Amino acid sequence: MVRKKKVTRKIARRPKTAEIKEELLLQPPRGMRDILPADQIYWQQVRRLAEKAAADFGYRRIDLPLVEFTNIFSRGIGEGTDIVEKEMYSFSTKGGGKVSLRPEFTAGIARAYIQHGMNVWPKPVKLYYIGPCYRYDRPQEGRFREFFQFGCEALGEQDTVLDAQMIQMGWRIIYQLGIKNVKVKVNSIGCPACRKNYRNLLVHYFESKKQKLCIDCKKRLETNPLRILDCKEDKCVQVKASAPQSIDHLCEECRAHFKELLEYLEELEIPFELDPALVRGLDYYTKTVFELISISAGEEESRKNALGGGGRYDGLVKMLGGESTPAVGFSLGLDRLVAEMKKLGARAHKEPKPRVFLAQLGAFAKKKSLKMFEALERSGVIVAESFGRGSLKSQLKVADRMGVELTLILGQKEAIDGTVIMKDMASGNQEIIDAAKVVDEVKKRLKK
Ligand code: HAM
């Protein structure tokens, strides 16, 4: 008898689905973070005061998409800028469109101005915005990859008074938030006509000191020599100390514009300082540029982490294909404002506290409570509850901890009778009231 040999075939073990999944990282990408409920009172305060200032100065809200076609930013902000060259989150869509997450709002505002024919709206067109921006920068204190901006833009008006008003608004919002140690740095980088001469002078100056510049600034000498003035490298700081300054080379019109701005700022009693090295990191600026800094952290630290910045950009709309449109604006960094408020112990937004607690006992009463809660809430009374709890004792404990003035108790009997017990928490007195009149009775008691 021939014995059959048992053949065992090795079957490669398939990885279980769980094994082929990528590791789950329970955190957001680097430079991004959650804003938890405990911090929201600061964010709310910033948004509230900023939006109030915008309304007071006649600005209307605009919301833009988070994503624009990349060339809106590369053309608007400038090819040679750090933002466009190194910091944009850019990708291609399935349809092949090249898009980027917005690193700022101003270029998108100019796009929207042209697209919606805002040139025929009454001038100046005053818009404000609030929302997240994205820059792939090296995260550090006060510098995130996802951060939030609030900003105002006025398009169609060249009067210097608007430049002054922008600074006034930014300064007022920051001051009202309790950040009192604020300084405004201002400069004028002229118009394309006078900037051309100034640029030549700068190139001439830096060419003669090229060996002493950092690698990036050697490149900037070719692409964007004005940005050398903004470099924080020690050796460049020394070289630029004796560089020609833009305000000494302004044309007549730009000089008059700048002089007038400084007069307005003096009149407004806003503490400002001329900063000839202030050129800002975006190419669209003309004439006025400014930054708002808190000096509580020391001058150098503050410059790196400006609370806000802005300026005039008379050429941007035309550069994107619209008609020549003077414009000016500013943006504040909300993340930095919140951090500064917390550091200084500034007042946060006060959430209104509930003054009434609604307790219930039994399935029927719980159903009735939902309706009673809605009636009170709709009439403007802030009510607290803990409907998930069954025991009356534990609900009353919660009411006590919240420090409410009145507690309404709806038990099985009251729910059937159409009544409710109202307990005054200070005196402990209780009375039975008609459930249909609960809103009036509660309001009467709270007024007392
Ligand atoms: P910006 O100076 O690039 O200007 O940004 C404005 C503000 O946004 C800064 O002062 C800062 O508070 C905040 N910010 C910028 N980058 C970051 C970051 N990585 N992390 C945290 N906060 C940041 C603009 O964006 C111009 N669009 C301003 C403007 C409006 N000019 C005319 N109109």
Side-chain angles (χ1 to χ4, degrees):
M1 193 176 125
V2 185
R3 263 210 183 148
K4 265 193 184 166
K5 215 175 166 189
K6 202 174 168 191
V7 183
T8 49
R9 243 193 306 153
K10 263 198 179 163
I11 302 171
R13 193 175 71 85
R14 273 218 214 122
K16 288 185 192 146
T17 333
E19 285 169 348
I20 40 179
K21 270 193 187 155
E22 273 177 25
E23 190 192 349
L24 250 190
L25 280 179
L26 295 178
Q27 62 189 46
R30 209 159 104 81
M32 304 191 184
R33 70 221 197 283
D34 304 311
I35 302 164
L36 297 179
D39 269 358
Q40 293 293 344
I41 46 173
Y42 293 97
W43 286 84
Q44 184 57 15
Q45 180 80 335
V46 175
R47 283 190 291 254
R48 198 173 63 81
L49 288 179
E51 292 200 289
K52 168 142 192 348
D56 289 350
F57 282 76
Y59 286 74
R60 293 196 297 157
R61 179 161 177 153
I62 184 166
D63 288 312
L64 302 176
L66 205 59
V67 173
E68 297 269 358
F69 287 114
T70 299
N71 55 10
I72 295 288
F73 300 122
S74 50
R75 242 191 265 170
I77 299 170
E79 296 279 3
T81 59
D82 281 356
I83 296 180
V84 168
E85 218 170 54
K86 307 178 190 161
E87 297 171 5
M88 285 215 292
Y89 282 86
S90 300
F91 52 97
S92 297
T93 60
K94 282 186 183 160
K98 287 192 167 58
V99 297
S100 300
L101 298 185
R102 64 173 174 231
E104 58 111 46
F105 282 85
T106 313
I109 292 280
R111 190 266 308 142
Y113 179 89
I114 302 167
Q115 183 188 344
H116 302 289
M118 294 186 199
N119 55 333
V120 300
W121 293 11
K123 303 278 167 35
V125 174
K126 292 174 159 187
L127 304 169
Y128 84 87
Y129 49 82
I130 190 160
C133 297
Y134 299 84
R135 294 185 192 174
Y136 195 81
D137 203 352
R138 195 164 55 83
Q140 49 191 284
E141 206 196 331
R143 193 165 295 263
F144 303 99
R145 288 181 176 171
E146 180 187 61
F147 60 96
F148 291 76
Q149 279 191 351
F150 159 85
C152 293
E153 314 285 348
L155 300 107
E157 178 64 72
Q158 57 187 3
D159 199 301
T160 326
V161 77
L162 269 115
D163 305 39
Q165 261 188 334
M166 290 293 171
I167 297 177
Q168 182 187 19
M169 274 172 83
W171 194 80
R172 165 181 143 170
I173 295 167
I174 297 174
Y175 196 84
Q176 284 183 342
L177 286 170
I179 307 167
K180 305 268 158 90
N181 236 341
V182 197
K183 204 193 256 177
V184 181
K185 300 233 173 198
V186 275
N187 193 19
S188 174
I189 53 170
C191 61
C194 53
R195 183 125 34 101
K196 204 168 163 197
N197 294 336
Y198 175 60
R199 191 180 188 276
N200 290 341
L201 278 174
L202 265 190
V203 171
H204 190 257
Y205 172 81
F206 284 123
E207 278 291 355
S208 68
K209 315 261 187 252
K210 196 169 174 179
Q211 294 320 312
K212 295 183 182 158
L213 295 176
C214 72
I215 298 175
D216 277 348
C217 282
K218 280 184 185 137
K219 264 194 254 156
R220 285 178 186 135
L221 197 48
E222 312 290 329
T223 56
N224 204 341
L226 251 78
R227 296 296 325 276
I228 302 176
L229 296 173
D230 203 28
C231 183
K232 312 279 183 310
E233 290 280 329
D234 278 347
K235 44 189 189 174
C236 300
V237 170
Q238 279 174 25
V239 176
K240 75 186 185 188
S242 323
Q245 301 187 351
S246 58
I247 42 173
D248 296 332
H249 302 278
L250 296 177
C251 63
E252 245 350 280
E253 194 205 319
C254 290
R255 193 196 311 274
H257 186 94
F258 193 50
K259 186 168 165 278
E260 207 177 358
L261 171 67
L262 302 187
E263 284 165 8
Y264 282 129
L265 294 182
E266 266 164 22
E267 185 63 29
L268 287 167
E269 296 181 34
I270 292 176
F272 69 90
E273 200 173 80
L274 294 186
D275 183 352
L278 184 67
V279 286
R280 314 257 308 124
L282 307 103
D283 277 356
Y284 49 60
Y285 289 116
T286 49
K287 298 183 180 165
T288 311
V289 284
F290 62 88
E291 264 174 12
L292 297 142
I293 62 167
S294 157
I295 42 178
S296 62
E299 194 87 17
E300 196 37 49
E301 205 44 46
S302 314
R303 274 247 28 212
K304 270 198 288 179
N305 277 341
L307 299 175
R312 185 160 272 285
Y313 51 96
D314 292 345
L316 179 60
V317 173
K318 188 158 186 214
M319 195 153 53
L320 294 183
E323 61 187 36
S324 178
T325 309
V328 61
F330 76 98
S331 313
L332 299 177
L334 305 196
D335 311 71
R336 293 185 187 170
L337 289 174
V338 167
E340 193 67 15
M341 284 171 75
K342 289 171 80 175
K343 196 165 91 189
L344 298 173
R347 201 156 55 94
H349 175 68
K350 246 198 176 158
E351 299 283 358
K353 260 181 59 177
R355 298 172 72 188
V356 181
F357 189 91
L358 177 55
Q360 43 68 43
L361 196 64
F364 186 55
K366 195 186 273 191
K367 269 189 205 148
K368 292 276 170 200
S369 306
L370 285 178
K371 199 107 188 255
M372 189 174 283
F373 180 89
E374 190 179 294
L376 286 159
E377 181 262 313
R378 280 170 99 170
S379 73
V381 177
I382 306 172
V383 205
E385 46 74 29
S386 184
F387 289 158
R389 281 170 211 255
S391 111
L392 187 60
K393 199 172 157 199
S394 73
Q395 292 180 68
L396 292 179
K397 238 190 200 164
V398 177
D400 213 34
R401 214 173 347 150
M402 285 185 164
V404 292
E405 292 159 55
L406 296 174
T407 296
L408 299 166
I409 305 164
L410 195 62
Q412 192 78 354
K413 181 177 178 306
E414 290 77 25
I416 293 167
D417 291 353
T419 58
V420 61
I421 301 170
M422 183 159 67
K423 179 175 176 182
D424 183 309
M425 298 298 274
S427 64
N429 290 341
Q430 295 195 10
E431 59 184 298
I432 294 173
I433 58 168
D434 183 353
K437 294 186 181 149
V438 69
V439 171
D440 291 343
E441 289 295 331
V442 164
K443 282 190 162 175
K444 218 191 299 169
R445 239 28 82 90
L446 290 179
K447 241 188 218 152
K448 269 189 201 162

